[in-house]
Amino acid sequence: MSGAVSGGEAVVRALAEHGVDTVFGIPGTHNLEIYRHLPAYRVRHVLTRHEQGAGYAADGYARACGRPGVVLVTSGPATLNAAAAIGQAYSDSIPVLLISPGMPLRSTPGAGLLHETRDQSRAMDSVAAYSHRVTSVAGIPVALARAFAVLTSGRARPVHLEIPLDVLVERSVVISPGPVAVPVTVPPDDMIAAAAQVLGAARAPLMIVGGGARWAAPQVRMVAERLGAAVVTTANGKGVLPDDHPLALGAGMHLPAVAEIARRAGAVLVVGSELAPSDLWHGPLEFTGPVVRVDADPAQLVTNAVPDVALAGDAAATLDRLLALLDPVPGRGAAAEVAAAEVARWRAIKDGQAMAEGGRWRWIVRALAEGVGRGGIVAGDSAMICYYGALTGLPAYGPSRFLHPTGYGTLGYGLPAAMGAAVALPGRAVAALMGDGGVMFTIAELAAAAQLGLALPVVVVDNGGYGEIRAEMVSRQDPVQAVELPSPDFVMLARSLGAYGVRAGDEESLTAAVKEALAADRPTLVHVRETPLANVEETP
């Protein structure tokens, strides 16, 4: 059939039409018809060592650059291996596309085909925004266009596409709809005017900024300055307002100072945040002033806190419209100085609480911050060093500088996410920050990073086990069990995987190790025990 393409080529052609130039994954028997066409369409493939690692790498890629991350795996166990990463992307609203083969359309269920899964698409539908099983070659470009429309509009969520094996090899003439032009949504003018009136009349307003404002950083800053508002962020909103801005309170929504600031605020503007328990930890915030919420997801506007004014729309576009209606503050210079002084007072109180909680890790955080520099990115894990130490102690001077698996709380995220960020932004200083328990979930990705030649510091903070769970057992007065992890020789383990390995035992040696790792020709695992070690020791 003249002009006909296989299902596999239709997949790759559609990806290229949507601007995809990089995919993460692992080839397998059932997805080779897709792989064969990647070079012809100049789509780079990044080989990981596990499908979960591929999913986390695509997540880190998407967070770092804002483009959807694409994962290509084979059927059955490979697809299910990626499920945890898709669940994490769903929880944190990250645009990740997972493509996998499925059992043939014309097969008998239960026949015992290789990788046969009873209902693979239904399994993935439970963790993604949706899962779609394509039934024809002609349907592939349409399915991809629909997926990218979901990935790039409103609240980003991951999508899974399943292509049956027989559809992958069949040939057909296809008509591609191409990328769908996605309109930017803004609330009605009367709703924006109502929000401007509430906020403009408020004394000592507060802004709560989440991951939904990641790409609206200039608008967040301008609105904060116009209102003279203190700005506190969630983990995923960390750095949207640079931490050294006079109005920045930084991250750490769970700290008592934030609850008190929220209670006292004359009005609260929430931008792109769920106000989720996974950020607040100790219960919902109490608002005594009016609340304005901005969110791309209309359903989220009334979840966890009902606002006085609900603005459903794109964060950047909505804040632009809001800014146009906010009158400049009379005597702006003097008012700004007063606001900044008050924010500095609360910032000192909040920082004191953060030190009481995570001071034992602060030297590690300082060293890492010095090592990666002002523009650096740190991909963290669900580890004590991250949510007690780096969340509040690591300065962030722009959005997507701290990548953290917040809502789902998966272990093993940091290393492959850092890989994805480094692939997305070549030349940017990127580091991973892991615990000794979590790093073992995805340690094999160190070999993938070595094969890529990434200058990637992987800082592993070793407390000899699952420290958070150990502490919870102690606090419950339970028997302490199943949480002790005798550490491997991390330096030798790194070397065996093709990376460098060093040990660091103080702030000076850790800073030096991170800086040296960023200039290396491959990744470097930096092993740090929570008790002092000897000076940095490099492997030959």
Side-chain angles (χ1 to χ4, degrees), residues 49-50 52-54 56 381 411-417 419 434 437-448 497:
R49 297 302 186 265
H50 191 277
Q52 190 174 117
Y56 292 146
D381 212 49
L411 286 171
Y413 172 86
L415 169 53
M419 285 174 46
M434 312 285 289
V439 74
M440 296 303 291
F441 281 53
T442 52
I443 190 66
E445 301 309 341
L446 199 60
L497 293 172

Side-chain angles (χ1 to χ4, degrees), residues 252-465:
M253 294 279 293
H254 62 285
L255 294 171
V258 174
E260 184 61 19
I261 295 165
R263 189 185 66 80
R264 293 181 179 217
V268 178
L269 173 59
V270 183
V271 185
S273 172
E274 296 174 309
L275 298 175
S278 55
D279 276 307
L280 299 176
W281 297 13
H282 305 301
L285 298 175
E286 177 189 353
F287 302 121
T288 55
V291 175
V292 176
R293 293 186 74 171
V294 177
D295 206 288
D297 181 359
Q300 190 58 53
L301 286 169
V302 293
T303 303
N304 293 324
V306 177
D308 296 272
V309 183
L311 302 179
D314 174 79
T318 301
L319 292 183
D320 273 334
R321 298 280 287 275
L322 178 63
L323 188 67
L325 296 181
L326 288 173
D327 293 327
V329 178
R332 185 178 182 278
E337 289 181 11
V338 170
E342 185 67 1
V343 170
R345 184 177 75 85
W346 279 108
R347 178 78 187 237
I349 295 170
K350 174 179 167 288
D351 286 350
Q353 293 169 351
M355 278 295 291
E357 174 184 82
R360 64 192 263 200
W361 296 282
R362 192 55 66 94
W363 68 275
I364 298 172
V365 173
R366 283 196 303 266
L368 184 58
E370 175 68 20
V372 300
R374 186 179 180 88
I377 296 172
V378 175
D381 212 49
S382 188
M384 299 176 84
I385 176 61
C386 294
Y387 46 75
Y388 292 135
L391 174 61
T392 54
L394 181 74
Y397 302 109
S400 294
R401 305 292 170 83
F402 180 60
L403 315 183
H404 190 248
T406 306
Y408 218 43
T410 50
L411 286 171
Y413 172 86
L415 169 53
M419 285 174 46
V423 168
L425 301 174
R428 179 71 64 89
V430 179
L433 181 60
M434 312 285 289
D436 59 304
V439 74
M440 296 303 291
F441 281 53
T442 52
I443 190 66
E445 301 309 341
L446 199 60
Q451 184 176 7
L452 291 167
L454 297 179
L456 182 67
V458 181
V459 178
V460 178
V461 179
D462 187 350
N463 61 12

Side-chain angles (χ1 to χ4, degrees), residues 51-192:
E51 292 85 4
Q52 190 174 117
Y56 292 146
D59 179 302
Y61 176 97
R63 295 192 200 215
C65 70
R67 300 188 299 273
V70 180
V71 187
L72 178 57
V73 301
T74 195
S75 53
T79 303
L80 297 183
N81 280 346
I86 297 303
Q88 183 62 64
Y90 184 91
S91 179
D92 284 349
S93 303
I94 307 301
V96 173
L97 173 62
L98 173 65
I99 300 174
S100 68
M103 291 300 101
L105 292 175
R106 293 167 287 279
S107 65
T108 302
L113 296 176
L114 178 66
H115 298 333
E116 182 175 359
T117 304
R118 191 160 62 86
D119 194 337
Q120 176 179 276
S121 187
R122 185 178 177 185
M124 296 309 300
D125 195 60
S126 68
V127 292
Y130 71 87
S131 175
H132 176 60
R133 178 172 162 90
V134 181
T135 57
S136 69
V137 177
I140 288 173
V142 176
L144 264 296
R146 178 187 175 215
F148 276 92
V150 170
L151 292 166
T152 58
S153 64
R155 185 179 188 180
R157 297 288 206 186
V159 173
H160 171 242
L161 292 185
E162 176 180 302
I163 320 291
L165 297 176
D166 44 3
V167 174
L168 280 175
V169 297
E170 288 176 0
R171 298 182 67 82
S172 175
V173 174
V174 299
I175 299 175
S176 173
V180 176
V182 178
V184 174
T185 58
V186 293
D189 290 343
D190 59 336
M191 298 299 293
I192 295 177

Side-chain angles (χ1 to χ4, degrees), residues 17-32:
E17 287 176 345
H18 285 84
V20 174
D21 58 12
T22 302
V23 298
F24 301 85
I26 300 176
T29 299
H30 288 163
N31 64 12
L32 294 182

